[in-house]
Amino acid sequence: MKKTLAAAIISSLCVSGASYAANIYKGEDGSEVNVYGRLGYNITDKDTNENDTNGEFDARIGLGGSQPINDQFSVIGWAEYQVGAAEAENSGGDSLSPRYVWAGIDGKELGKVTGGRVASGLIMFTDIVDVFALSDIATARQANRVDGTAVQVFRQDATLQYQNSVNGLDFSVAYIFGNNDVNRFGEVLDYGMNAAARYTLDLGEGGSLAPVLAYQYSEDKDGNEYNFWGIGATYKIGAISLGAEYSEDELDTGAANKSKDEVWEVVAIYDLNDYWTLRGGYRSLENTDGDELELKDTTLEAQYHLTSRSSLFASYVFRDGDNGTNGGADFGDAEEDFYQLGIRYEF
């Protein structure tokens, strides 16, 4: 992949919180600073009145790097923010929302320890189906009912995490400390923990298979509990990639019944040539004893690569779900189809 800057492709297990990061400084002692940015604009009729069309801006900026302690260890860190676009709306409010803010130690083959709002190791699981330009992941949607800082299980404040890769096995374990953010019950998190593992099997001419397991438990100071587990896999051969996963998350508030989501998703990606990528997928979410939300979505998407890191995309989502008692607040109208057209520029 050609780049105009000295850039590194960095996975979620590595230094940056982004898929790409450009190296903008490297000192004689080996210290370096990386920067990542994303700018995008799309038009969509998702969740609009009377099929109106809205324009939406999307931007992110991240900065981080590393400083060597010795031949084995380095100090590492990353800060990445979502950027608000509407100047009037940001007056007196927050124009930057933190996605990842963490610091830690990289011990090379000994693994990494990071603390803060980290890139959760459970991203290894969610990435199986997070393949569309504007994904809204259904997995683990009830996590923020107990931890007010949680964006599902991708990002959660006050997390201390260890990650490593050994002979094709990528794994992470984390402890989530209490924080002062109030959840939907007016309480704060007491503690949480999670773990994830992925093993990549090289099948030679038969491609590669990477099964993933993920788990999380959280509890607030009033005893409300959250449980999540998932299993899935990605299979790749040539220009084709297939993914499938199943997960359950359960919210226990001490009531007679527990609010439970059951989610399964499948995706397929075909790199038609150097310029065109085609994607398709289906997801099902069914909640019982909670808001009774149902998602039954079929997504089709085409992406045209303008450069190695910038593209145009068009997607259409066929919906046959049920908004339940919460009006589909997390995902827009679960009963109405919608389209998205956009451009994305990454640097």
Side-chain angles (χ1 to χ4, degrees):
M1 186 179 294
K2 297 180 179 179
K3 300 178 179 65
T4 56
L5 294 172
I9 299 177
I10 305 175
S11 74
S12 61
L13 294 177
C14 296
V15 171
S16 91
S19 298
Y20 300 89
N23 182 254
I24 58 173
Y25 169 79
K26 195 169 185 68
E28 293 183 358
D29 65 348
S31 298
E32 62 179 29
V33 176
N34 302 303
V35 65
Y36 164 78
R38 189 176 96 179
L39 302 172
Y41 181 76
N42 72 93
I43 57 175
T44 179
D45 66 346
K46 181 181 181 181
D47 200 26
T48 60
N49 295 324
E50 299 179 357
N51 295 320
D52 292 338
T53 297
N54 286 342
E56 299 176 346
F57 180 76
D58 172 46
R60 298 173 185 176
I61 186 72
L63 185 70
S66 65
Q67 296 176 353
I69 300 172
N70 52 42
D71 292 342
Q72 181 71 53
F73 297 99
S74 297
V75 181
I76 56 176
W78 185 259
E80 182 179 328
Y81 293 83
Q82 190 81 19
V83 182
E87 183 176 355
E89 292 180 3
N90 291 335
S91 299
D94 294 329
S95 58
L96 295 176
S97 300
R99 286 172 53 80
Y100 305 106
V101 184
W102 55 262
I105 301 292
D106 182 359
K108 297 184 179 178
E109 70 275 5
L110 297 179
K112 298 180 178 67
V113 176
T114 53
R117 191 169 179 83
V118 306
S120 170
L122 275 67
I123 291 175
M124 292 187 289
F125 177 77
T126 59
D127 271 356
I128 293 173
V129 297
D130 187 10
V131 300
F132 300 104
L134 296 171
S135 296
D136 53 354
I137 301 301
T139 295
R141 74 179 179 108
Q142 298 187 106
N144 67 354
R145 274 59 164 181
V146 169
D147 182 355
T149 74
V151 176
Q152 291 154 299
V153 288
F154 318 146
R155 302 182 292 277
Q156 299 159 100
D157 285 358
T159 302
L160 182 63
Q161 180 169 258
Y162 172 76
Q163 298 168 294
N164 206 350
S165 299
V166 180
N167 297 326
L169 175 66
D170 305 313
F171 63 94
S172 74
V173 292
Y175 185 85
I176 306 166
F177 290 88
N179 54 62
N180 294 320
D181 285 81
V182 177
N183 62 26
R184 298 194 181 188
F185 305 110
E187 297 294 334
V188 297
L189 181 72
D190 189 11
Y191 71 97
M193 61 189 74
N194 65 42
R198 175 180 61 199
Y199 186 71
T200 302
L201 298 163
D202 185 350
L203 305 178
E205 294 183 357
S208 65
L209 177 67
V212 182
L213 295 172
Y215 173 76
Q216 175 160 316
Y217 174 83
S218 305
E219 182 176 335
D220 71 17
K221 291 189 176 181
D222 195 40
N224 298 306
E225 297 178 326
Y226 173 76
N227 273 284
F228 164 82
W229 68 269
I231 183 171
T234 298
Y235 174 70
K236 297 180 180 181
I237 183 168
I240 298 174
S241 178
L242 305 174
E245 64 179 37
Y246 175 83
S247 67
E248 294 182 4
D249 75 336
E250 189 174 75
L251 183 64
D252 184 359
T253 61
N257 298 311
K258 303 174 184 178
S259 175
K260 181 179 180 180
D261 280 354
E262 295 181 82
V263 183
W264 63 270
E265 303 185 54
V266 293
V267 296
I269 305 170
Y270 179 47
D271 292 319
L272 187 62
N273 51 42
D274 290 341
Y275 298 98
W276 286 98
T277 298
L278 305 177
R279 299 181 177 90
Y282 180 81
R283 73 174 175 188
S284 169
L285 179 153
E286 293 189 10
N287 176 271
T288 54
D289 298 319
D291 60 10
E292 304 295 332
L293 175 68
E294 289 188 13
L295 295 178
K296 307 290 183 185
D297 295 347
T298 300
T299 303
L300 301 176
E301 181 176 278
Q303 182 178 22
Y304 181 76
H305 302 278
L306 300 168
T307 71
S308 61
R309 288 160 60 182
S310 300
S311 62
L312 300 170
F313 63 87
S315 60
Y316 195 90
V317 180
F318 301 89
R319 314 200 84 168
D320 187 25
D322 189 319
N323 288 318
T325 60
N326 200 28
D330 291 333
F331 300 94
D333 193 334
E335 301 174 1
E336 292 293 331
D337 300 350
F338 65 91
Y339 68 85
Q340 294 171 316
L341 305 171
I343 184 171
R344 177 171 293 173
Y345 165 51
E346 293 188 83
F347 60 91

